[in-house]
Amino acid sequence: RKEVEQDPGPFNVPEGATVAFNCTYSNSASQSFFWYRQDCRKEPKLLMSVYSSGNEDGRFTAQLNRASQYISLLIRDSKLSDSATYLCVVSRPNSGYSTLTFGKGTMLLVSP
Amino acid sequence: EAQVTQNPRYLITVTGKKLTVTCSQNMNHEYMSWYRQDPGLGLRQIYYSMNVEVTDKGDVPEGYKVSRKEKRNFPLILESPSPNQTSLYFCASGALPGLLVSYEQYFGPGTRLTVT
């Protein structure tokens, strides 16, 4: 099982649609979870952290299921500007510290 | 403005010609890291640094060197670049991670390197 796995997509959705991204991770010791957004040929930027109880930021909702080692991101009322690649990011213990492992990303294309 | 800067942004070079990609951050972060991003492979960590004079290998360190003589700077050195090092490179910085907890990383704009 790969450390962090995501459906590569692309997900093609119309404006206003609801879209969900899934991510699974293999290291049960992982404690920190994030969703990053990356626009084409640009740097990744933090979209939101993912907390155990689930969290919401406007149209975005992130959920974590530790038992299943599964993370999700839900985007409601999609906008054209949401078109990007969404990276699932998970920490893992490494030599006394933790480091981040990035999924390969899921591409989202929102059309008019 | 809080930021991570990288230079150059674009570089075309030839096999074997030593090059350095600079990275600087103004957020007083202890942690800095270099990644490369390739189609189908995602972001992979090359080297990271927990503080000045403390560096360690990431997942793909072969062919690269780094140094951390100052807190704000973390240059990436390719002593003898080869075509398989053609990639998009990102520098990142962030608060020092704990044993189990990691924090947001702030990325530079990227350096697109082509080695012919």
Side-chain angles (χ1 to χ4, degrees):
Chain A
R1 186 178 182 182
K2 293 180 183 173
E3 285 201 64
V4 179
E5 279 200 86
Q6 298 182 248
D7 184 333
F11 283 39
N12 287 283
V13 303
E15 268 187 295
T18 295
V19 59
F21 302 136
N22 302 320
C23 171
T24 57
Y25 60 96
S26 61
N27 194 327
S28 59
S30 297
Q31 295 290 333
S32 299
F33 309 91
F34 309 91
W35 283 101
Y36 277 69
R37 171 195 168 125
Q38 185 174 24
D39 294 300
C40 187
R41 299 178 181 270
K42 297 283 186 72
E43 72 272 26
K45 291 183 180 179
L46 180 69
L47 177 66
M48 58 196 303
S49 301
V50 186
Y51 303 117
S52 296
S53 55
N55 46 300
E56 188 174 305
D57 183 2
R59 298 181 293 110
F60 300 85
T61 300
Q63 299 217 312
L64 168 65
N65 184 323
R66 287 187 186 273
S68 302
Q69 294 179 205
Y70 168 92
I71 306 160
S72 66
L73 176 68
L74 185 76
I75 305 177
R76 291 181 299 279
D77 188 23
S78 298
K79 312 290 184 192
L80 295 175
S81 57
D82 293 334
S83 295
T85 296
Y86 291 83
L87 307 175
C88 175
V89 185
V90 176
S91 70
R92 59 181 167 90
N94 179 28
S95 302
Y97 295 90
S98 64
T99 58
L100 296 180
T101 301
F102 287 76
K104 295 179 183 178
T106 299
M107 183 182 291
L108 172 65
L109 301 171
V110 182
S111 54
Chain B
E1 179 191 356
Q3 60 183 349
V4 179
T5 57
Q6 292 179 231
N7 281 292
R9 295 289 312 281
Y10 303 90
L11 179 60
I12 301 174
T13 190
V14 295
T15 298
K17 186 176 181 182
K18 181 180 178 180
L19 66 92
T20 299
V21 184
T22 64
C23 173
S24 184
Q25 51 95 4
N26 62 2
M27 294 170 277
N28 203 36
H29 286 151
E30 290 94 348
Y31 183 85
M32 297 187 74
S33 181
W34 276 102
Y35 298 88
R36 62 178 288 174
Q37 187 172 37
D38 302 289
L41 296 177
L43 273 164
R44 295 179 293 167
Q45 190 177 50
I46 303 170
Y47 268 94
Y48 62 95
S49 170
M50 295 296 182
N51 215 326
V52 174
E53 303 293 358
V54 181
T55 63
D56 210 345
K57 296 177 180 178
D59 298 316
V60 289
E62 295 77 20
Y64 304 94
K65 285 175 58 176
V66 293
S67 69
R68 187 95 181 270
K69 293 184 170 52
E70 304 166 285
K71 194 173 187 178
R72 63 183 292 127
N73 296 324
F74 191 44
L76 179 70
I77 303 154
L78 284 73
E79 295 269 3
S80 183
S82 62
N84 65 11
Q85 292 178 299
T86 292
S87 187
L88 178 58
Y89 291 86
F90 288 105
C91 180
S93 74
L96 194 67
L99 174 60
L100 298 176
V101 179
S102 287
Y103 302 98
E104 176 183 4
Q105 288 188 19
Y106 298 82
F107 285 80
T111 295
R112 188 165 292 279
L113 172 66
T114 302
V115 183
T116 62

